[in-house]
Amino acid sequence: MRDGSPANVTRLADYLPPAYLVPRTHLDVDIRDGHTLVTATLTLERNPARDDRPEDLVLDGEHLELLSLSLDGAALPASRYREADGRLTVFSVPERFELTSVVRIEPEKNTALEGLYRSNGMYCTQCEAEGFRRITWFPDRPDVLSRFTTTVRADREHYPLLLSNGNPVASGEESEGDGQGGRHWVTWEDPFPKPCYLFALVAGDLACLKDTFTTASGRQVALHLYAEHRDLDKLDHAMVSLKKAMAWDERVYGREYDLDIFQIVAVSHFNMGAMENKGLNIFNTACVLAHPATTTDAAFERVESVVAHEYFHNWSGNRVTCRDWFQLSLKEGFTVFRDQEFSSDMNSRAVVRVENVNFLVNHQFPEDQGPLAHPVRPAQYQKIDNFYTLTVYEKGAEVVRMQHELLGAEDFRRATDLYFERFDGQAVTCDDFVTCMEEVSGRDLSGFKRWYSQAGTPIVRAEDTYVDGLYSLTLSQHTPATPGQADKQPLMIPVKLALLDPRGKPLALNDQGDTETVVILERATQTFSFPLPVKPTPSLLRGFSAPVILRYDFDETQLQTLLAHDSDGFCRWDAAQRLYFSALSRIIEQGESAEQQLERLRPALEGVIRRAAEDPAQAALLLTLPTETAIGDRHAPLDPARVHRAAHAFKVALGRALDEDWRRLAESLREPEYRADGDAMGKRRLRMLALSYLGLAKADGIADDLQRTFRDASCMTEEIGALGILVSNGLDGAETALEQFAERWRDEALVMDQWFAVQAAVPGPATVARVKALMSHPDFEWTLPNRVRALIGTLVNGNPSAFHAEDGSGHRLFAEALKTLDAINPQIAARLGNGAARLDRLREDLSTSLRTALSEVREGASANLAEVLDRILGA
C-alpha cells in the first residue's frame, strides 16, 4: 500500500470475539518454480460468544490470486462471495461447514519478508503479526486457534527438507503427469491449537545438527537445528543454549516441552530477531549462528538469550497466547522477563541486570518521552507491525518484574502456575495475568494495572531528613503528559532500598536486622521512616525495582560511597553514571575543562580499577562512559556536535590520566588462548575498553599494539574490537586493516555486517559521505535487513554527531534510505524511521533540516512508514 494515507485505526475498545471459529485447518502447500499453490480446507463453526450472530464469513488475505472456492465440497459461484480491500466475504454461511480455497502466490517476489518468501534458495515463513494472510484466506487474528495439519510439496533435488509445525506423520514421493518423478511431500500435524501467526513452513537444502533432551517426566525430545551447509559448525552454541533453557524452564517454572521434536532454522533474510512458531522456530542467522572466529562475545550472549526467549514462548505465548494484538506484551513482556532471569542465572546477575537497565534507560525511556510514546497495552494502532516496540518488550518485562517484586519469588511462581493451568490452550489478556497475581497473593493490584494503560516514564523524587535518630524518606511521583494522555494517575511503584553508614556498611532497618526492604509508593507523595544511629547514604531503587527516573540530590561523596561500597550492582553502576553525567554537564554547560573534571573523579575510578579482578565485566561497565545519545538526551536543545566535543575530550582526558592503568590492564588481561567462559569474556571486555581509552588518547605505540591485536586475535571480539578502535580514531593502519578484514571475511555475511557498522559508527560529519559510498558497495543489499541495520541503522541510531551533521547531509541520506527501503520492505523502513523521534529536541536549525527531509519522504510513503512519520512530524 503506497497511497500516502494512514491505514484504518484499530481500537481496543472496539474488540469483538471472532464471528466464526476454525477448529481444524488442513493446508496443502505446493511449491513450484515461480509460484506456489496453497489449498486450504478450513472447518468452521459459528462462535457462541458472538451475540449478534453474523451470517457472512469474512476472511483476511493479501497478494493472493484466488483460483477456486468451495463450501462443503460444492464450488461457489461468484455471486456467493466478494473480494475487496484485503477481505474475502462469503455470504450466508451455515452454522458449521468446510470451506476450501485454492490460491496462487509468488514467494520469490515477496521482499516484505512477511508470509511465505524465499531467502538464499530456501522457502520460509514469517506470519507474526499479520503475515499468514499472505499465504491463504483465513481469519488472521490471534484469538482464532486451530489445529493445523500441513502437507508441503516440492522438488526433492532442490528442497530435500520440508518442515512445518508439530510432528511429522507421513511422507512420500509423487510424479508429475508426464511420469517424471523428482517431487516429494511431507505431512506435519500439530496436536495443539494455535493462532495462524504461529504457523511455520520451511523448504530447502540445509544441514542439521541433531541432539536430544530428556524431559523431567522421562520423555525424549529430538532437537534439530538447521542452517546452510557452510554454517553447520556455527550451531553448537545454540544447541547448548537450548538445552540449558529447557532444563531451566522445568526447574524454575515447571514447564516441560510437549512435542516429540523441537526445531530451529537459521534464515538470512528476516525482519526480526527470531520467531517462536510452535515447534519450528525460525531465526535470523544473527541470533543463532555463533563461532569464536566470526562471533563476538556479546553476540554469543545474545544467541543464548534469544534461543531461550523463543523456547520459553512455547508456554508464555504459544500454549497461552494473546487475545488480540493490544495484549502483545502479555507474551513478549513476560517472556523477556523470563529470558532476562535465565541469562542472570547463566551469567553474572549484576552485569546482566545493569546491561538490561542500561538498554531500557537509553532506548525505551526516550521512546516513552517522545512522539512515539504509547502504553504497554496500546489503546489503538494503525499498523500492528509498528508496535513491536521497546515499550511492549522491555518496559513490559519491567512491569512483570515489578509483580515479581511485589509478590516475592514463591508467590510469583504459584501465580504463574495458576496462569498456565487456567488458560492453557486459550487466548487471554494482560488483565487475566494480573488477576492470577491477585488471587495468589491476596493483594489488590487494581492500581498496578495502570502500568499497562498509562504511557510515559514516571519521575520519582526523593527527599530525606535525619532528625534525632529518625531518618525520613519522602517519595513523590509524577508522570509527564504524553501524546493523547495529558492527565496521569499515580502508579504502584515498588522501591527497593538500603541505607548505608558513612563507611558504606548497610544499616539494619528493623528489629529482625534486615538491611534491605521494599516500600510501595502508591500515592502522589508518601513518607517512610527508619530509626537509625547515623545519617545514612540512601541506596535507592536497588536492582532497578521499577522503570522510573529517580530524582535525588546525591552529593559527590554519597555517589563515591555507593560506587565504592554498595553491594547492589545497579546502584554502583548508577552512581558511576551520575558522576559521569555531572562531569559532562559541567563541560557542556559551564565550559569547564575535561582534565579538571577527570581529576575530581580520578580517585573513584582508580578504586574501581583496583577491584577490577573481582568481576572484570562489571568493572568494564563501571568504567564505560554514557553514549553520546544518552548524554544528549539530558541537554536541551540537543546539539550533537557540542555533545561529541565534550564526550570526546573527557574520554581523551581519561585515557591520558590513567595511561599506566590502561596499559597494565591491557597487558595483564591478555590470555594465551581463547576461552569461552564468563570470566574470560569479562576479561576481554575490560581489556578492549582499556585499549579503546588508549586509542582515544593516541597513546605512544597504541597503533602498533592495536594492529598486532587485530592481526593475532584469538577471536572476533578482539579482531573487530581492535579494528573499531583503529578506524574510529583514525590511527595508522586503519584503512589497511579495513581492507584486510573485508578480504578475509567477504563470504561471511554476519561478519561483514560488523565491517559496515564499524565504519558507520565513526563520529563526525565526514562519516556521512563514507556511509553514502558504502550504500553502493557490492556487498550492500537493501533486501537484507541485517545489512541495512548495520550500516544505516548504526548511523541513525548510534552516531548522532554524524547523523545530525550541520550541513544536513545526514538527514538527506536518511530520507534517501527511507524512500529506497520503503519500496522494498515497509516494515523495516518504519522501524528505521523511528530514529528520527528526537526531532523536536534538536537545535532549531537541525530540527528544521530533519523535518524537511522527513516531509519529503512522507508523500507516498507506505502505511507502515506513514504512521511513524505522522507521529514524529505531529501530523
Side-chain angles (χ1 to χ4, degrees), residues 1 5-10 62 114 129-130 133-134 325 378 380-389 826-827 830 862-868 871:
M1 177 170 150
S5 61
N8 292 330
V9 173
T10 302
E62 293 178 3
E114 297 177 274
E130 296 178 339
R133 61 189 61 189
R134 286 174 169 259
W325 290 121
Q380 64 182 47
Y381 60 79
Q382 294 174 13
K383 294 293 290 183
I384 185 56
D385 297 332
N386 290 338
F387 280 85
Y388 281 74
T389 62
Q827 188 179 133
S862 68
N864 291 72
L865 183 57
E867 180 181 14
V868 169
R871 295 175 70 188

Side-chain angles (χ1 to χ4, degrees), residues 171-345:
S171 62
E173 308 290 328
E174 61 181 26
S175 299
E176 300 288 9
D178 59 7
Q180 298 297 315
R183 290 179 60 79
H184 69 134
W185 57 269
V186 179
T187 297
W188 294 78
E189 186 168 350
D190 189 346
F192 297 97
K194 65 174 179 287
C196 64
Y197 83 83
L198 291 173
F199 173 78
L201 179 152
V202 171
D205 181 6
L206 300 172
C208 181
L209 177 65
K210 296 183 179 181
D211 205 335
T212 61
F213 179 82
T214 303
T215 68
S217 65
R219 292 177 51 253
Q220 190 171 84
V221 178
L223 307 179
H224 292 178
L225 273 59
Y226 296 95
E228 294 182 32
H229 290 274
R230 61 193 297 275
D231 292 324
L232 181 62
D233 65 339
K234 301 182 183 74
L235 291 173
D236 292 331
H237 179 62
M239 182 65 82
V240 171
S241 301
L242 173 59
K243 297 177 75 170
K244 287 181 179 179
M246 297 177 79
W248 186 89
D249 210 18
E250 290 185 347
R251 183 177 72 256
V252 178
Y253 282 88
R255 298 298 108 190
E256 189 173 302
Y257 187 64
D258 47 17
L259 291 169
D260 298 335
I261 186 171
F262 184 86
Q263 305 176 98
I264 293 176
V265 178
V267 176
S268 297
H269 296 74
F270 205 69
N271 286 342
M272 301 183 182
M275 180 61 209
E276 72 267 19
N277 317 294
K278 181 67 179 178
L280 176 56
N281 287 189
I282 297 180
F283 272 60
N284 187 318
T285 50
C287 294
V288 68
L289 302 182
H291 188 282
T294 58
T295 310
T296 64
D297 291 341
F300 264 90
E301 292 173 346
R302 186 186 181 206
V303 167
E304 180 181 71
S305 173
V306 176
V307 167
H309 179 97
E310 305 307 332
Y311 174 76
F312 295 154
H313 264 313
N314 187 64
W315 278 92
S316 51
N318 296 3
R319 288 284 289 260
V320 182
T321 195
C322 49
R323 186 195 71 179
D324 52 71
W325 290 121
F326 298 100
Q327 320 295 331
L328 180 58
S329 195
L330 174 75
K331 71 183 186 75
E332 295 301 348
F334 185 21
T335 305
V336 169
F337 169 74
R338 275 154 53 74
D339 83 54
Q340 289 178 352
E341 286 296 288
F342 166 78
S343 294
S344 295
D345 285 348

Side-chain angles (χ1 to χ4, degrees), residues 328-639:
L328 180 58
S329 195
L330 174 75
K331 71 183 186 75
E332 295 301 348
F334 185 21
T335 305
V336 169
F337 169 74
R338 275 154 53 74
D339 83 54
Q340 289 178 352
E341 286 296 288
F342 166 78
S343 294
S344 295
D345 285 348
M346 297 299 109
N347 304 284
S348 165
R349 177 166 289 271
V351 170
V352 169
R353 185 59 182 147
V354 168
E355 289 175 334
N356 292 333
V357 172
N358 191 24
F359 184 79
L360 180 88
V361 169
N362 291 319
H363 297 277
Q364 191 279 322
F365 276 20
E367 180 175 278
D368 236 359
Q369 299 160 20
L372 302 178
H374 62 86
V376 170
R377 180 175 54 196
Q380 64 182 47
Y381 60 79
Q382 294 174 13
K383 294 293 290 183
I384 185 56
D385 297 332
N386 290 338
F387 280 85
Y388 281 74
T389 62
L390 299 176
T391 297
V392 166
Y393 280 69
E394 308 302 325
K395 185 176 180 180
E398 296 301 316
V399 171
V400 174
R401 184 177 296 277
M402 284 188 288
Q403 294 173 72
H404 182 275
E405 200 69 55
L406 289 165
L407 271 67
E410 185 176 339
D411 276 357
F412 183 82
R413 165 63 191 273
R414 291 174 54 221
T416 58
D417 284 349
L418 175 63
Y419 169 74
F420 288 130
E421 291 161 8
R422 176 177 292 173
F423 298 116
D424 189 12
Q426 299 181 48
V428 298
T429 68
C430 297
D431 287 336
D432 292 319
F433 182 83
V434 179
T435 296
C436 291
M437 301 289 150
E438 289 182 309
E439 289 187 22
V440 167
S441 67
R443 183 189 289 269
D444 179 7
L445 297 178
S446 54
F448 182 85
K449 292 180 182 179
R450 293 178 188 142
W451 279 103
Y452 287 99
S453 59
Q454 191 163 283
T457 305
I459 297 172
V460 172
R461 297 187 182 277
E463 297 178 343
D464 56 359
T465 60
Y466 182 72
V467 180
D468 296 332
L470 186 67
Y471 176 77
S472 296
L473 177 68
T474 298
L475 301 176
S476 61
Q477 61 169 297
H478 166 69
T479 304
T482 55
Q485 285 189 342
D487 299 321
K488 306 291 185 176
Q489 298 297 312
L491 297 164
M492 182 181 288
I493 301 174
V495 178
K496 183 181 289 188
L497 62 88
L499 301 172
L500 309 184
D501 70 15
R503 296 175 299 170
K505 182 180 179 181
L507 295 161
L509 303 178
N510 53 36
D511 293 339
Q512 289 73 43
D514 295 328
T515 58
E516 185 178 72
T517 190
V518 177
V519 299
I520 310 301
L521 176 61
E522 299 180 83
R523 300 189 296 275
T525 302
Q526 289 174 249
T527 298
F528 307 90
S529 297
F530 305 89
L532 297 175
V534 294
K535 182 179 179 180
T537 291
S539 172
L540 302 174
L541 213 65
R542 291 167 69 82
F544 199 65
S545 57
V548 302
I549 296 172
L550 176 66
R551 300 279 193 236
Y552 177 80
D553 291 332
F554 289 103
D555 60 38
E556 284 199 11
T557 299
Q558 289 176 314
L559 291 174
Q560 293 193 17
T561 295
L562 293 169
L563 177 58
H565 301 292
D566 203 336
S567 62
D568 185 82
F570 163 74
C571 287
R572 287 190 71 201
W573 173 81
D574 183 61
Q577 294 292 293
R578 288 175 185 270
L579 288 168
Y580 293 140
F581 281 125
S582 179
L584 289 160
S585 180
R586 286 190 286 268
I587 297 171
I588 295 170
E589 302 295 341
Q590 301 171 27
E592 297 187 15
S593 73
E595 290 75 14
Q596 182 181 4
Q597 297 309 309
L598 191 278
E599 283 307 307
R600 296 175 65 166
L601 296 184
R602 183 168 181 163
L605 300 181
E606 288 177 334
V608 172
I609 292 173
R610 282 196 299 271
R611 295 177 55 187
E614 297 173 11
D615 189 339
Q618 187 177 40
L621 283 172
L622 296 175
L623 294 167
T624 300
L625 266 63
T627 66
E628 292 182 18
T629 299
I631 299 165
D633 282 341
R634 287 156 177 81
H635 295 273
L638 173 57
D639 187 340

